[in-house]
PDB file of all heavy atoms in Angstrom:
ATOM      1  N   ALA N  29      47.574  44.736  41.312  1.00 77.00           N
ATOM      2  CA  ALA N  29      47.703  43.364  41.802  1.00 77.00           C
ATOM      3  C   ALA N  29      48.976  42.687  41.331  1.00 77.00           C
ATOM      4  O   ALA N  29      49.530  41.844  42.027  1.00 77.00           O
ATOM      5  CB  ALA N  29      46.481  42.547  41.388  1.00 77.00           C
ATOM      6  N   ASN N  30      49.462  43.065  40.136  1.00 81.00           N
ATOM      7  CA  ASN N  30      50.629  42.351  39.631  1.00 81.00           C
ATOM      8  C   ASN N  30      51.939  42.851  40.228  1.00 81.00           C
ATOM      9  O   ASN N  30      53.007  42.401  39.837  1.00 81.00           O
ATOM     10  CB  ASN N  30      50.682  42.376  38.100  1.00 81.00           C
ATOM     11  CG  ASN N  30      50.825  43.780  37.551  1.00 81.00           C
ATOM     12  OD1 ASN N  30      50.893  44.746  38.299  1.00 81.00           O
ATOM     13  ND2 ASN N  30      50.878  43.882  36.239  1.00 81.00           N
ATOM     14  N   THR N  31      51.860  43.777  41.173  1.00 85.00           N
ATOM     15  CA  THR N  31      53.065  44.229  41.865  1.00 85.00           C
ATOM     16  C   THR N  31      53.098  43.787  43.318  1.00 85.00           C
ATOM     17  O   THR N  31      54.004  44.174  44.066  1.00 85.00           O
ATOM     18  CB  THR N  31      53.209  45.755  41.791  1.00 85.00           C
ATOM     19  OG1 THR N  31      52.103  46.364  42.469  1.00 85.00           O
ATOM     20  CG2 THR N  31      53.268  46.231  40.355  1.00 85.00           C
ATOM     21  N   TYR N  32      52.123  42.994  43.728  1.00 92.00           N
ATOM     22  CA  TYR N  32      52.056  42.510  45.097  1.00 92.00           C
ATOM     23  C   TYR N  32      51.940  40.989  45.121  1.00 92.00           C
ATOM     24  O   TYR N  32      51.348  40.390  44.224  1.00 92.00           O
ATOM     25  CB  TYR N  32      50.833  43.085  45.819  1.00 92.00           C
ATOM     26  CG  TYR N  32      51.003  44.515  46.254  1.00 92.00           C
ATOM     27  CD1 TYR N  32      50.836  45.560  45.351  1.00 92.00           C
ATOM     28  CD2 TYR N  32      51.335  44.821  47.565  1.00 92.00           C
ATOM     29  CE1 TYR N  32      51.000  46.863  45.750  1.00 92.00           C
ATOM     30  CE2 TYR N  32      51.498  46.132  47.972  1.00 92.00           C
ATOM     31  CZ  TYR N  32      51.326  47.149  47.059  1.00 92.00           C
ATOM     32  OH  TYR N  32      51.491  48.448  47.463  1.00 92.00           O
ATOM     33  N   CYS N  33      52.485  40.395  46.153  1.00 95.00           N
ATOM     34  CA  CYS N  33      52.162  39.007  46.463  1.00 95.00           C
ATOM     35  C   CYS N  33      50.808  39.031  47.172  1.00 95.00           C
ATOM     36  O   CYS N  33      50.615  39.790  48.129  1.00 95.00           O
ATOM     37  CB  CYS N  33      53.224  38.395  47.368  1.00 95.00           C
ATOM     38  SG  CYS N  33      52.937  36.657  47.745  1.00 95.00           S
ATOM     39  N   ILE N  51      50.037  33.802  45.685  1.00 96.00           N
ATOM     40  CA  ILE N  51      50.498  33.899  44.304  1.00 96.00           C
ATOM     41  C   ILE N  51      51.368  35.140  44.201  1.00 96.00           C
ATOM     42  O   ILE N  51      50.977  36.227  44.646  1.00 96.00           O
ATOM     43  CB  ILE N  51      49.312  33.932  43.319  1.00 96.00           C
ATOM     44  CG1 ILE N  51      49.802  33.950  41.871  1.00 96.00           C
ATOM     45  CG2 ILE N  51      48.356  35.072  43.603  1.00 96.00           C
ATOM     46  CD1 ILE N  51      48.694  33.645  40.853  1.00 96.00           C
ATOM     47  N   ASP N  52      52.562  34.970  43.634  1.00 93.00           N
ATOM     48  CA  ASP N  52      53.491  36.101  43.623  1.00 93.00           C
ATOM     49  C   ASP N  52      53.355  36.899  42.332  1.00 93.00           C
ATOM     50  O   ASP N  52      52.491  36.640  41.499  1.00 93.00           O
ATOM     51  CB  ASP N  52      54.921  35.619  43.871  1.00 93.00           C
ATOM     52  CG  ASP N  52      55.548  34.905  42.678  1.00 93.00           C
ATOM     53  OD1 ASP N  52      54.919  34.816  41.598  1.00 93.00           O
ATOM     54  OD2 ASP N  52      56.677  34.419  42.824  1.00 93.00           O
ATOM     55  N   VAL N  53      54.231  37.887  42.178  1.00 92.00           N
ATOM     56  CA  VAL N  53      54.114  38.801  41.036  1.00 92.00           C
ATOM     57  C   VAL N  53      54.398  38.111  39.713  1.00 92.00           C
ATOM     58  O   VAL N  53      54.061  38.628  38.650  1.00 92.00           O
ATOM     59  CB  VAL N  53      55.029  40.029  41.203  1.00 92.00           C
ATOM     60  CG1 VAL N  53      54.624  40.818  42.433  1.00 92.00           C
ATOM     61  CG2 VAL N  53      56.495  39.620  41.267  1.00 92.00           C
ATOM     62  N   PHE N  54      55.048  36.936  39.779  1.00 92.00           N
ATOM     63  CA  PHE N  54      55.354  36.192  38.552  1.00 92.00           C
ATOM     64  C   PHE N  54      54.300  35.127  38.266  1.00 92.00           C
ATOM     65  O   PHE N  54      54.417  34.388  37.293  1.00 92.00           O
ATOM     66  CB  PHE N  54      56.720  35.526  38.669  1.00 92.00           C
ATOM     67  CG  PHE N  54      57.829  36.509  38.917  1.00 92.00           C
ATOM     68  CD1 PHE N  54      58.411  36.622  40.162  1.00 92.00           C
ATOM     69  CD2 PHE N  54      58.271  37.348  37.900  1.00 92.00           C
ATOM     70  CE1 PHE N  54      59.422  37.536  40.402  1.00 92.00           C
ATOM     71  CE2 PHE N  54      59.285  38.260  38.122  1.00 92.00           C
ATOM     72  CZ  PHE N  54      59.854  38.358  39.377  1.00 92.00           C
ATOM     73  N   GLY N  55      53.275  35.056  39.128  1.00 93.00           N
ATOM     74  CA  GLY N  55      52.243  34.048  38.940  1.00 93.00           C
ATOM     75  C   GLY N  55      52.556  32.711  39.570  1.00 93.00           C
ATOM     76  O   GLY N  55      51.819  31.745  39.369  1.00 93.00           O
ATOM     77  N   LYS N  71      44.869  34.748  39.852  1.00 95.00           N
ATOM     78  CA  LYS N  71      44.818  36.205  39.917  1.00 95.00           C
ATOM     79  C   LYS N  71      44.596  36.760  38.520  1.00 95.00           C
ATOM     80  O   LYS N  71      45.247  36.333  37.560  1.00 95.00           O
ATOM     81  CB  LYS N  71      46.125  36.746  40.500  1.00 95.00           C
ATOM     82  CG  LYS N  71      46.124  38.242  40.746  1.00 95.00           C
ATOM     83  CD  LYS N  71      47.333  38.682  41.565  1.00 95.00           C
ATOM     84  CE  LYS N  71      48.632  38.356  40.938  1.00 95.00           C
ATOM     85  NZ  LYS N  71      49.788  39.004  41.614  1.00 95.00           N
TER      86      LYS N  71
END
Side-chain angles (χ1 to χ4, degrees):
N30 63 0
T31 63
Y32 283 80
C33 182
I51 183 166
D52 74 3
V53 298
F54 301 106
K71 186 169 59 169

